[in-house]
Amino acid sequence: MTDFDIAVIGAGHAGCEAALAAARLGCKTLVFIINADTIGAMSCNPAVGGLAKGHLVKEIDALGGEMAKNIDATGIQFRRLNTSKGPAVRSSRAQADRLLYQQRMKTVLEQQENLEIRQTVVDEILTENDHVKGIRTSLDEIISVRAVVVATGTFLNGLIHIGLKNFPAGRMGDAASTSLAEWYRRIGFAVGRMKTGTVPRLDGKTIDYSLLEPQYSDAPPALFSFANAHKKKPDLPQLPCYITYTNEQTHAVIRDGINQSPMYSGIIEGIGARYCPSIEDKVMRFPEKGRHQIFLEPEGLDTVEVYPNGIPTSLPLQTQVKLVRSIIGLENARIIRPGYAIEYDYIDPLELKPSLETKRINGLFHAGQINGTSGYEEAAAQGLMAAINAVQLVRGQGPVILDRSQAYIGVLIDDLVTLGTKEPYRLFTSRAEYRLLLREDNADLRLRDIGYQLGLVDEETYQVFLAKKEAIEQGCARLDTIRLKPVPAVNEGLSALGSTPLTQAMTLTELLRRPELRLKELTPLVEEQAPEFSFSAEELQCQEEIELQVKYAGYIKRQQEQVDRFKKLERTQLPEDMQYKGLPGLSNEVVEKLNRVRPLSLGQASRISGVTPAAVSVLQVHLKKMGIL
């Protein structure tokens, strides 16, 4: 008798999405957490989204996940980034009320049908013939399960460093998971060490904001969830962030205390994030840079704590005080919580299939920092996909794998399982080859159908999506039927918009291809000259998407052609038991890498570092001989 279908170990951002998805798909689900008060905790900065990360949040929402709804309900500042650049790289970011974010997510899990929360430590995953069979807790409780999603974050053998002092912890105030870490080593998984860090939290009452530059929320703010697309106002009051900078005095404090840094004294063994370095690292690696930007981010509406984003540090507390007080506006600031570095175990993601199931043990899935990633959003995306595939496994169905042309989630997972990582992985728009197709705004158009087919998107939400999709299609078609004539009213309107007057009639599609024109600016001209062609209310709500499809039609078509070529390689499957050794034309290095990754397709094989185009051609020839091609 199976106690539970699926167990989720950890209830951070990956674990929350995994537990909710598994339960919502009808599986009896149990989530383990060392401290139930920390479900959904934001261990680092109190924010969601950012460059490329905002894309992930939108994709999670399109598939039926929770993160976007949670930040919309608890956000205290919303901003769109890169708005002056092309649509492919525009991203959303929001500051959260840290405690409200955590509390709401905890409530969502507590109220979820089919989901049970258990505060306990998992010591061991029980297996039989390389299949998951159960869980053993630190209280020697045995619970049988059919699949497990491990989402332990920084807790596996976590070790906190402040100056030359260190102590075991999963994060400040929570115990580390040591027995489970030992189990991974005993089973033979490829285990490595990584490092991340956080900043000292400051008392906002001791900050002089009069000297600092404020940064306000967008007005009106754009919320994350597609369900809130036309909501005019967030639920909570919006607070500003403030900008300040380090200076030469700050850098001198750091240089003077560098011998007390655990990173520079050789105590820390784990590899840190290249794209989110400590302030010590910034100062020592870039001595020519006279200052580094700091964003003072409020932690919430009912707390004085402020997160000085930009100065993660593991220097001794006394040095942290000097560092902080050398900064403009922070001369009298008090530290409530010290900054620290934390080392933790991760499992080489080359141990994973594209479904996020381990190759070594069937039914064991990994999500989040255990895979070598950094960031709440990357973790949540993996948690969602790991749970979906755990459910598929329990149901006896094939895995759901998003490819690189469908989603940033596909890029993230493919990078991990194909290339592996030796440092904390962070997603960027530059990692996506087809980023013009993978915009934030069209995440629902790309993925909502999949979420609905899986059962994570309810009927009412799906019908709203279908109406939106129809409005976009009708709106795009309508543009070709509307022709503006070169009459004085139209030309005067175009001149006022900084555009060339018409000499002959033009369709709205042709006009919109002018980079300086926006559909919302042309709408009044249409209503004045051709009221019978006015857009419906639904079409007007979708005018930004309609406009993007028109303006970038040529680029989108070319990128779609690239995707079609990519799909041919992805559709060419490689047998799971394919023997690479002995194939003429493959070097020993290529054979070793192919055997390690065990790619599922020619496309995946072509992305393995060191696998040359010539080697891919050899594989194609061999597949033809086998009758597969």
Side-chain angles (χ1 to χ4, degrees):
M1 176 74 177
T2 299
D3 289 331
F4 289 89
D5 295 310
I6 293 171
V8 178
I9 303 176
H13 303 282
C16 286
E17 292 292 351
L20 289 171
R24 288 167 176 172
L25 290 174
C27 283
K28 189 179 179 185
T29 304
L30 175 61
V31 58
F32 295 98
I33 185 167
I34 290 175
N35 180 355
D37 290 332
T38 61
I39 290 172
M42 305 180 105
S43 303
C44 198
N45 61 318
V48 166
L51 302 180
K53 294 169 177 285
H55 291 72
L56 287 177
V57 181
K58 294 273 192 176
E59 290 178 355
I60 291 166
D61 185 66
L63 288 167
E66 192 65 30
M67 181 174 259
K69 293 184 178 70
N70 211 57
I71 186 60
D72 283 355
T74 60
I76 55 177
Q77 187 189 103
F78 291 83
R79 288 178 61 83
R80 292 273 286 154
L81 309 179
N82 278 349
T83 53
S84 62
K85 297 184 179 180
V89 296
R90 295 172 195 160
S91 293
S92 302
R93 187 177 188 274
Q95 294 293 133
D97 183 305
R98 181 192 297 276
L99 188 57
L100 287 179
Y101 186 96
Q102 181 177 329
Q103 288 174 335
R104 183 189 179 278
M105 188 64 85
K106 182 173 186 284
T107 299
V108 171
L109 264 70
E110 289 173 341
Q111 299 300 318
Q112 178 59 52
E113 191 178 346
N114 297 322
L115 180 58
E116 185 176 324
I117 299 167
R118 192 83 56 86
Q119 177 173 297
T120 191
V121 176
V122 172
D123 278 356
E124 184 179 5
I125 297 167
L126 305 176
T127 64
E128 185 179 303
N129 298 324
D130 297 329
H131 283 73
V132 164
K133 287 298 178 185
I135 294 287
R136 184 174 65 82
T137 74
S138 58
L139 300 176
D140 283 332
E141 184 183 15
I142 304 296
I143 300 165
S144 62
V145 296
R146 300 173 67 185
V148 175
V149 177
V150 180
T152 45
T154 60
F155 279 68
L156 282 184
N157 265 341
L159 187 67
I160 281 180
H161 298 266
I162 302 175
L164 302 184
K165 295 183 179 296
N166 57 67
F167 50 91
R171 63 172 155 246
M172 188 68 84
D174 286 318
S177 175
T178 54
S179 296
L180 186 60
E182 175 54 34
W183 177 84
Y184 271 104
R185 282 183 160 81
R186 190 169 70 248
I187 293 297
F189 280 91
V191 180
R193 294 285 276 174
M194 283 189 178
K195 182 219 78 152
T196 188
T198 189
V199 305
R201 269 62 165 196
L202 308 180
D203 182 344
K205 300 193 307 294
T206 63
I207 296 173
D208 184 356
Y209 292 107
S210 67
L211 303 172
L212 307 180
E213 175 190 346
Q215 184 186 67
Y216 296 100
S217 184
D218 288 344
L223 303 184
F224 273 93
S225 177
F226 289 101
N228 296 328
H230 305 297
K231 200 172 174 183
K232 298 297 183 186
K233 181 178 174 295
D235 294 338
L236 300 175
Q238 300 296 282
L239 300 183
C241 295
Y242 288 85
I243 299 171
T244 186
Y245 298 88
T246 64
N247 51 59
E248 283 301 336
Q249 184 185 348
T250 314
H251 300 177
V253 169
I254 291 168
R255 286 190 292 266
D256 289 345
I258 202 67
N259 63 327
Q260 298 291 301
S261 164
M263 188 165 54
Y264 279 85
S265 60
I267 295 175
I268 290 180
E269 300 173 356
I271 300 169
R274 180 188 311 188
Y275 305 105
C276 189
S278 67
I279 189 61
E280 301 96 276
D281 225 12
K282 292 178 188 176
V283 170
M284 301 306 290
R285 287 171 54 194
F286 306 105
E288 75 285 354
K289 193 158 184 179
R291 67 177 192 172
H292 298 278
Q293 192 173 60
I294 302 167
F295 286 91
L296 300 178
E297 302 173 347
E299 295 252 333
L301 297 172
D302 299 318
T303 178
V304 299
E305 287 192 67
V306 170
Y307 185 97
N309 195 342
I311 54 169
T313 181
S314 56
L315 288 166
L317 178 57
Q318 296 85 347
T319 308
Q320 291 188 33
V321 171
K322 292 178 185 176
L323 184 163
V324 166
R325 291 183 176 175
S326 69
I327 296 166
I328 293 175
L330 308 182
E331 293 87 350
N332 298 304
R334 287 197 298 263
I335 292 177
I336 294 177
R337 310 180 201 224
Y340 62 87
I342 183 166
E343 284 186 282
Y344 56 94
D345 286 356
Y346 81 102
I347 311 302
D348 188 339
L350 293 181
E351 293 263 10
L352 300 174
K353 303 173 186 176
S355 63
L356 295 180
E357 183 183 22
T358 65
K359 299 170 184 175
R360 200 174 294 267
I361 295 178
N362 295 324
L364 177 61
F365 295 79
H366 289 172
Q369 282 173 285
I370 192 173
N371 290 336
T373 60
S374 65
Y376 304 152
E377 303 80 7
E378 287 92 338
Q382 292 171 72
L384 178 64
M385 296 309 300
I388 287 170
N389 286 318
V391 172
Q392 293 289 100
L393 181 74
V394 166
R395 290 174 174 172
Q397 299 173 350
V400 175
I401 298 171
L402 302 176
D403 68 43
R404 301 180 72 90
S405 69
Q406 285 179 292
Y408 272 88
I409 295 174
V411 174
L412 163 67
I413 294 174
D414 185 63
D415 278 355
L416 290 173
V417 304
T418 303
L419 304 175
T421 188
K422 299 296 183 185
E423 61 184 77
Y425 176 98
R426 180 179 176 182
L427 194 63
F428 294 100
T429 53
S430 58
R431 295 191 190 270
E433 302 91 329
Y434 314 111
R435 56 185 173 271
L436 188 55
L437 300 179
L438 306 182
R439 306 183 306 277
E440 260 197 8
D441 61 272
N442 70 356
D444 58 339
L445 298 177
R446 292 183 277 116
L447 300 173
R448 189 65 101 188
D449 281 326
I450 296 173
Y452 177 70
Q453 289 160 11
L454 287 169
L456 285 172
V457 174
D458 62 70
E459 186 65 38
E460 182 181 352
T461 300
Y462 188 62
Q463 290 303 319
V464 171
F465 161 72
L466 290 179
K468 172 186 173 179
K469 188 176 179 182
E470 183 181 8
I472 292 170
E473 291 170 355
Q474 290 179 345
C476 287
R478 190 185 300 276
L479 295 178
D480 283 328
T481 66
I482 300 172
R483 298 179 69 83
L484 292 181
K485 299 174 183 176
V487 296
V490 169
N491 282 338
E492 287 169 11
L494 290 174
S495 296
L497 296 172
S499 194
T500 307
L502 299 180
T503 57
Q504 59 185 19
M506 291 183 74
T507 65
L508 217 51
T509 299
E510 293 169 321
L511 269 174
L512 262 184
R513 289 184 182 138
R514 296 183 179 184
E516 71 276 7
L517 293 180
R518 302 291 307 276
L519 181 54
K520 64 181 180 182
E521 296 168 337
L522 292 174
T523 302
L525 298 180
V526 173
E527 292 173 345
E528 182 177 327
Q529 186 181 338
E532 69 276 13
F533 289 116
S534 295
F535 291 97
S536 67
E538 292 77 15
E539 290 167 354
L540 288 174
Q541 285 185 334
C542 300
Q543 59 184 325
E544 184 176 352
E545 180 63 32
I546 294 168
E547 180 183 315
L548 287 174
Q549 290 194 16
V550 170
K551 283 188 178 297
Y552 294 93
Y555 299 103
I556 291 171
K557 182 182 178 182
R558 283 198 292 274
Q559 200 150 94
Q560 190 59 57
E561 290 168 354
Q562 293 172 354
V563 168
D564 293 340
R565 292 193 291 271
F566 159 80
K567 293 276 191 187
K568 288 181 181 178
L569 283 177
E570 297 302 305
R571 282 194 293 265
T572 305
Q573 300 294 300
L574 292 168
E576 286 189 20
D577 59 351
M578 187 159 175
Q579 298 299 310
Y580 297 106
K581 189 174 181 180
L583 285 184
L586 293 185
S587 68
N588 289 336
E589 179 192 1
V590 168
V591 169
E592 180 186 345
K593 290 185 174 182
L594 289 170
N595 278 327
R596 189 177 181 198
V597 176
R598 302 302 305 176
L600 298 184
S601 67
L602 272 180
Q604 189 184 1
S606 71
R607 293 189 294 277
I608 298 172
S609 177
V611 175
T612 63
V616 174
S617 297
V618 168
L619 294 176
Q620 286 177 307
V621 170
H622 186 65
L623 290 176
K624 285 179 182 176
K625 289 180 180 178
M626 295 172 66
I628 295 175
L629 270 179

